Each structure stands twice: as C-alpha cells, then as structure tokens.
Amino acid sequence: MKVRSVEITGKIGKHKWSYIVGDREHSIAPVSADQQTTINRSSLRRSSVNYLVFTACASIYLLPFMRLLLAGTDEGTLVEGAVRVLHGQVFARDFFEVMGPGTFYWLAAFLKLFGATFFAERVCLFVTSLGTFLLMYYLSRRVCRRYQISPPIFLAGVYFSNIWPMVNHHVDSNFFALLSIACIVLWKDTRKNLLLLAAGAGAGITTCILQPKGILLLLAFFLWLWIQRRRQASQSLLWLVAAGYFGLVGLMLLYFWSRGALRDLLYINLVWPYQNYGAVNAIPYARGLLQYWTHWAAPIHGVRWLIPLAVVLFAPFLLIAVLPALVLLLAIPHGKHNLRPEILLYWLCGWALWLSEVHRRDISHLISGSPLLIILCIHFLAEYRGKIADLSLQLLSVCAVALATVNLFLVLSAHPFQTRVGTVVVFKPDPVLTFLDTHVPAGTEIFTYPYCPVYYFFSATTNPTRYSLLMYNYNTASQFHDAIRTLDQRKVRYVVWDTKFEAEAAHLFTAVSFQPAGGFIMEPYLASHYRVVRDLGGMQILERKPDGSAAQH
C-alpha cells in the first residue's frame, strides 16, 4: 500500500526536530535545525522570485493602460479636485463633491511631486493598480492551493472600462482596504503589533476615501480579533487597531477643523448624501450587465460570428453578479473549515467590502466590492477534488485570461491625442478638447454643464464655481443659483454644454426625474447670456454675449 510522505515536527527545549515518513519504506529521516533553516530560506527565495516575476509581468501588462483616456467617467471630477487642492483650495469649503476627500489629497500628492500633468496622474494610477493586483496575489497565495494567480487576473479583466484605468475612489479605497487586510494576515504570522496599527490606519485612509468601506472594514477587524481573543489572543490587540484607525481619522478631522471646513465636510459627506443621494442609487441589481453582452455579441456585417467569444468574455461579469450567492453555496460543505483564522478574516472583510458598494447595485459597484469574494470562490473550488470543480476552475481561468487579453488589444488599438497636460491615447479624438486648445488660452476660466469636468484638467483651464456636476433633483436649487452668481460675477466667457447628458443619464439614474418641480434654472440663464458658437455632436460651445452681463436672471 502506497503512503504519501508526511512531515512530523516538534520541539524539545531550544532544539527543533522533524521526521519525514516516506512513501514506500516508511523510513524516518531526521531534519536538523540547520537543515530546516536552509529549507525555509529556499522557500523564501522561491517565493521572492514568484513575486518579482508577477510584479514584472503585471507592470508590463499595466503600462499600456496607463496611457488611455476614457470619456464620461468620474476621473475628471477627481483630478480637477486634486488640482484645486494643489493650488491651496480645501475640499468641502472651496469645492463641492459627494465622495470623500481621500482620493483628492492622495492624487494631489503626486501632482505636487511630478507637476500637474497627465504623467503625474498616471503614476498615481499605476501605484494603486499594481499595488491592488500584488495584494490580490499575496492574499490569494495564502489560502488557494491552486490557481493562485487567477484572482488578480480575473479582477484585472472585470475592472476595465467603467472603473479602470482611471483615477477612481473605488479603486483607491480597494487598494488601501486590501493593504490593511494584508497587514492583519502578516501580523498573524509575525505577531508584530506595529502591523495592527498599520491595519487600523489603512482602514482609516479607506474611510477618508469611501466612508462605508472603511467603517465596515474596521468592524470586520474588530469582530475577527474578538473571535481570536476567545482563542487566547490579547484584548489589547483591539485597541491597537482602534488607535491606528481613530488616530488617522482624527488627524483628518483636525486638518479640516484648522481650515474652517469641518462643518462643510460633515455636511457634504454625511448630511447631504442622506438627503439627496437615495434616488440616484435606486436601480435594478447588476444594471449594465447586459450591455457587455450586447457590445460583444453585436453582429458584424449581419453575421453573429463573435457569439462564442462573447460568451467567454461575458462569463466573468455574470460570475460577479452571482458571486455572493455562489460563494455561500460553495462554502456549505466545508463547515468548520470556514472558521480557520485566515478564511474567517476573508469572510468578514469580503462581505464588508461588498456591502460597502451595494448602496448602488450596478455591475461596476458590484465589481468594486468583489475582490475578496473572488479569492474565496477560487479557494473553495480548489478545495473540491471532483472533475466538475477542476473544469470550473479551468473555464474560469480561461475566461479571465481571454478578457484581460482582449482588453489589452483594445487599448493597443487606441490612437495618440495631444493635450496641454501630455499625450494620451483615445479611441476617437475629442473635438471639444481640440476647440478649447485652439480658442481658449491655458488658465482661462470656463464652465462645463451639466457634467464633463474632464475638460478642465486636459485643457489646463479652471472651474470658477464650486461644482463639477449640476443635476436637477440631485443638486439643490440654491446650488444652481450659486453657480449662476459665480458665472455672472466672473463674466465667464465660455461654457461647454453637454446637451446629451439628460438622455444618457436617464439610463443610469432611473429613479431621478430631470424635470425640476420649480422649473429650469440654468438653461434660461445660458439662453439669455450666451450664444452657441459651435455644436460638436451635441456638445455645444457657448460664448458669453457682449451685453450678457446686463441681462438679469
């Protein structure tokens, strides 16, 4: 009878011993402490090589994406706000945005180091992107026996388009959240309490970027440590995490208090979303999922020959939609195995990330909340020994690699486009940027309405108002009037008006009415004070009338 080799280890006094039971002869081979040290060093070298190879390959893959500029995203809001911070403005006091202040100040640090250029912005994006995928690989290796590289590849595939590659508060918050979780995992091995302080501080930074994610992550840490305390862990460990978290958040609040902006910060990040954000989030579950299928399965010359490829590329997004239920289903047979410290940590933190994103249940937010659930899904599949599980893992890996590869080829097909802050690549030239570069000097004040703030940064112009977005039944009437007063006082010459925004936004915000109960506010003002000088496919360039300042709104 063939017996698998088994290693038995122990310790007598200061001396370690190890015996290996062989496959055939049941032989016992003693392993000395020096031999064990050699084995550990060899294992560490192999692990280091694996991480270096992964880092090199991931960097090569990521670099083409760093050049891409995608239109119609939140990147414009975040980079415009970061430029404001760079120039001395204070979030909430001097400009209004509903997301937390973290990404604005994180990106502003890179702009300070490298200048207000596209290169500086993409250095920031590269750091968070590479860091996220490295952390996914590290956390995957801790629990997955096989297919350890599949989770980061899977995440890279589904990240593309709606939330990446662009500076984004969801991507940044995931980076710091995963970094905090990695600190907890490393602490479990080393018992270095500084790692718990770092984990708490990382959760604090996550809170500054996306408040629900950081708060739920902190609660997950507390619950996990409390359970470990019942297993002989010290109660002081909870206080170390709390010290790191509240120390970081306290410093942030102290900064805004010192700038006279604490009340504005609390209003923007707590009061205003509670009063105005509900209708924006009232959408069906996994909204936008079918758009991927429609895009890839569209007929070419009347022939649907891409259907098989569309099935492969669509599968990862479909998995994201069913991932929470699937992970629960796969975990049932494992029973007490789910209570292993690391698996329990992944459970608690995985659901914390997912719950923090489902305030808006479209496919992009579901993707943002899924990193740890992806790892758990692959872990549980790898634990099964049946052919169905092996086949599922193989198909999942093939679909993830195919999606990531197609995304790369799409990016490589983009064309260079020159802007004032550097050369980008785009799928099609932007005539509005071309007009602004030709007719509007750098540093000029312009206003974009209702929402296209990307033009401020890439045309090196500035926004004189406090708002990058003005949308009826989302922004208040007083905010519209505040923007109009600024346009009147500053005599802003050019306005970029996206006349297609209402029709496009109606598909994204299904519960929001774009017909204001009190009547339109901005449109009559623009009609009376500005004239259309160029219509670029629904993007109208308005110029202030010579006598516009005399007209009263």
Side-chain angles (χ1 to χ4, degrees):
M1 178 178 178
K2 185 176 180 179
V3 181
R4 297 180 62 191
S5 62
V6 178
E7 182 179 356
I8 306 171
T9 61
K11 186 175 182 181
I12 300 176
K14 297 182 179 180
H15 304 284
K16 293 182 179 179
W17 57 266
S18 176
Y19 297 101
I20 299 175
V21 180
D23 284 348
R24 296 181 180 176
E25 300 179 358
H26 304 271
S27 60
I28 299 178
V31 178
S32 67
D34 290 339
Q35 289 175 319
Q36 189 64 47
T37 301
T38 302
I39 292 172
N40 291 339
R41 288 177 178 174
S42 177
S43 176
L44 180 61
R45 282 195 296 269
R46 288 195 300 270
S47 179
S48 300
V49 169
N50 288 337
Y51 281 108
L52 287 173
V53 171
F54 179 88
T55 301
C57 293
S59 299
I60 293 170
Y61 177 82
L62 290 174
L63 286 174
F65 290 87
M66 297 300 101
R67 303 165 57 230
L68 182 67
L69 173 63
L70 292 174
T73 69
D74 290 335
E75 182 174 34
T77 291
L78 292 162
V79 70
E80 191 239 339
V83 171
R84 288 178 181 259
V85 170
L86 179 68
H87 292 158
Q89 295 190 29
V90 177
F91 173 83
R93 187 192 70 186
D94 300 318
F95 63 99
F96 180 96
E97 300 297 349
V98 71
M99 57 276 288
T103 291
F104 298 103
Y105 287 83
W106 169 247
L107 177 56
F110 286 87
L111 300 182
K112 180 71 173 179
L113 288 173
F114 302 104
T117 63
F118 182 68
F119 171 78
E121 182 206 355
R122 292 310 161 120
V123 170
C124 176
L125 179 62
F126 182 79
V127 169
T128 54
S129 301
L130 181 60
T132 297
F133 298 135
L134 266 172
L135 290 165
M136 282 289 288
Y137 182 55
Y138 171 75
L139 295 172
S140 173
R141 284 171 58 92
R142 297 299 303 235
V143 297
C144 296
R145 293 187 299 110
R146 297 176 294 154
Y147 296 91
Q148 297 171 341
I149 200 172
S150 292
I153 294 176
F154 189 97
L155 186 67
V158 296
Y159 249 22
F160 179 73
S161 72
N162 284 333
I163 62 172
W164 185 85
M166 65 198 77
V167 172
N168 184 285
H169 52 298
H170 298 285
V171 174
D172 289 348
S173 61
N174 275 350
F175 167 64
F176 285 104
L178 293 175
L179 184 60
S180 301
I181 296 165
C183 287
I184 294 284
V185 172
L186 193 56
W187 167 83
K188 179 180 170 294
D189 290 342
T190 64
R191 298 291 168 168
K192 293 182 178 179
N193 291 339
L194 186 61
L195 290 169
L196 291 181
L197 280 171
I205 296 174
T206 305
T207 301
C208 295
I209 297 172
L210 196 63
Q211 294 88 354
K213 187 172 292 185
I215 293 171
L216 288 173
L217 186 64
L218 177 69
L219 294 178
F221 288 166
F222 281 170
L223 180 56
W224 185 79
L225 287 170
W226 178 79
I227 294 172
Q228 301 312 303
R229 175 180 171 241
R230 294 172 64 89
R231 299 172 179 174
Q232 309 305 317
S234 172
Q235 183 178 0
S236 63
L237 303 178
L238 292 166
W239 293 107
L240 286 171
V241 174
Y245 179 87
F246 291 106
L248 193 289
V249 173
L251 286 174
M252 182 268 293
L253 295 176
L254 181 62
Y255 165 79
F256 281 97
W257 175 80
S258 69
R259 297 296 186 272
L262 183 57
R263 179 177 296 181
D264 294 323
L265 175 72
L266 297 177
Y267 172 74
I268 284 178
N269 283 164
L270 297 177
V271 178
W272 191 89
Y274 177 78
Q275 296 176 342
N276 299 275
Y277 212 62
V280 173
N281 294 326
I283 59 174
Y285 183 81
R287 182 175 183 84
L289 176 65
L290 294 180
Q291 293 179 2
Y292 290 102
W293 173 261
T294 303
H295 175 74
W296 286 315
I300 298 179
H301 303 300
V303 180
R304 294 183 177 273
W305 63 278
L306 287 179
I307 291 293
L309 178 60
V311 171
V312 172
L313 301 180
F314 180 69
F317 296 98
L318 182 61
L319 181 66
I320 289 292
V322 302
L323 188 58
L326 180 61
V327 170
L328 289 173
L329 184 64
L330 291 173
I332 290 174
H334 291 79
K336 292 184 178 180
H337 174 75
N338 294 316
L339 298 180
R340 279 176 45 202
E342 284 186 355
I343 299 300
L344 182 60
L345 178 65
Y346 284 33
W347 269 115
L348 295 173
C349 295
W351 285 107
L353 298 187
W354 191 82
L355 290 172
S356 71
E357 294 284 1
V358 293
H359 59 279
R360 180 173 173 82
R361 297 181 297 274
D362 63 353
I363 190 64
S364 296
H365 284 75
L366 296 181
I367 291 169
S368 297
S370 296
L372 281 181
L373 295 186
I374 293 171
I375 295 176
L376 284 175
C377 180
I378 293 175
H379 160 72
F380 288 129
L381 283 172
E383 289 297 309
Y384 286 92
R385 297 189 178 275
K387 291 184 178 180
I388 294 179
D390 285 337
L391 181 60
S392 298
L393 283 168
Q394 291 168 10
L395 290 176
L396 179 62
S397 298
V398 168
C399 292
V401 170
L403 180 60
T405 303
V406 169
N407 292 342
L408 178 60
F409 279 110
L410 286 174
V411 171
L412 293 175
S413 69
H415 307 288
F417 184 77
Q418 185 64 41
T419 74
R420 286 174 175 167
V421 293
T423 301
V424 303
V425 297
V426 294
F427 292 119
K428 58 180 181 179
D430 192 321
V432 175
L433 272 179
T434 301
F435 177 90
L436 293 175
D437 286 348
T438 306
H439 296 83
V440 181
T444 301
E445 291 182 341
I446 69 170
F447 179 61
T448 67
Y449 176 77
Y451 184 67
C452 36
V454 69
Y455 294 126
Y456 295 123
F457 178 68
F458 287 96
S459 65
T461 54
T462 60
N463 177 6
T465 75
R466 299 180 68 236
Y467 313 98
S468 67
L469 167 68
L470 283 174
M471 186 170 70
Y472 294 109
N473 298 318
Y474 177 78
N475 294 95
T476 63
S478 62
Q479 290 173 337
F480 275 87
H481 288 297
D482 181 38
I484 288 173
R485 281 194 297 272
T486 302
L487 294 177
D488 248 1
Q489 293 170 359
R490 309 288 293 186
K491 301 296 185 293
V492 177
R493 182 177 178 182
Y494 288 107
V495 172
V496 178
W497 184 1
D498 183 2
T499 60
K500 309 186 303 299
F501 177 83
E502 182 177 325
E504 294 173 351
H507 296 289
L508 298 175
F509 311 112
T510 54
V512 177
S513 171
F514 293 94
Q515 299 297 321
F520 290 99
I521 301 173
M522 182 63 70
E523 287 75 5
Y525 174 81
L526 295 178
S528 62
H529 289 71
Y530 289 85
R531 62 184 179 88
V532 179
V533 295
R534 193 73 58 88
D535 191 326
L536 304 170
M539 298 292 294
Q540 292 186 352
I541 308 295
L542 309 181
E543 186 177 19
R544 193 172 183 87
K545 296 177 181 177
D547 58 343
S549 59
Q552 297 296 320
H553 176 65

